[in-house]
Amino acid sequence: MSRLSAALLLLGAILLGGSSALAQSDSDVYNRIEELHGDAASFDRSLRQLVRAMRSGDAETIAGLAEYPLTVKANGETYDVESAEDFIDNFDDLVTPETRRAVGRQQYEDLFVNSDGVMLAGGAVWMGAICEDNACEASHWAIIAINN
């Protein structure tokens, strides 16, 4: 491949990747969350809880941060976890040590934000704003998918 072709390919990847392919600051990420989902301050609190819980392997806290049913991809299978109790009982099978380490090291500036939610650790965990009523006047942040 010629240098020109390689440069054009790289430029195309950057343009298609949007802001996620470029360096972003914590405030850039915060503002993007606020713009797309609102309540970025609540996201911050939930993220900090999740990172601490992943570092320590605190299944109860992680379970409490999830929205059920929760889709979990682990061991080459897809599971629909129906409750926090089910999540806690099967925690070691549902959340790999690699995922725990990756989320435990998550840096705010490395988050990816789109209209679906916020991606952590390269897609290992997704969090979303969950509406609490039909008008979505109130919402809370929760884990909406885990992909080991």
Side-chain angles (χ1 to χ4, degrees):
M1 175 182 291
S2 73
R3 285 186 186 191
L4 179 59
S5 296
L8 289 173
L9 185 62
L10 179 60
L11 178 60
I14 291 170
L15 291 174
L16 288 174
S19 63
S20 67
L22 304 173
Q24 58 185 0
S25 69
D26 290 357
S27 63
D28 291 336
V29 174
Y30 185 94
N31 292 338
R32 179 103 169 122
I33 293 168
E34 189 65 39
E35 172 190 329
L36 290 176
H37 303 283
D39 202 6
S42 179
F43 172 78
D44 285 350
R45 288 188 298 276
S46 297
L47 176 66
R48 290 177 203 288
Q49 282 183 294
L50 178 59
V51 168
R52 280 192 305 272
M54 285 288 192
R55 284 181 185 158
S56 65
D58 181 351
E60 290 82 12
T61 296
I62 298 166
L65 290 167
E67 183 71 16
Y68 298 95
L70 174 67
T71 301
V72 177
K73 293 181 181 177
N75 309 310
E77 301 285 333
T78 300
Y79 304 96
D80 290 321
V81 180
E82 296 296 326
S83 67
E85 295 79 20
D86 188 19
F87 183 88
I88 294 164
D89 289 345
N90 296 289
F91 180 70
D92 290 328
D93 293 325
L94 296 174
V95 185
T96 66
E98 294 81 12
T99 294
R100 286 182 239 162
R101 278 191 297 277
V103 174
R105 291 189 304 253
Q106 179 65 57
Q107 297 296 309
Y108 203 83
E109 65 194 19
D110 296 328
L111 295 170
F112 173 78
V113 183
N114 69 17
S115 60
D116 294 325
V118 181
M119 180 180 77
L120 288 73
V125 174
W126 278 86
M127 294 185 78
I130 307 300
C131 293
E132 295 177 8
D133 55 39
N134 288 338
C136 204
E137 292 178 5
S139 64
H140 66 277
W141 283 92
I143 300 167
I144 55 174
I146 297 176
N147 304 298
N148 293 278

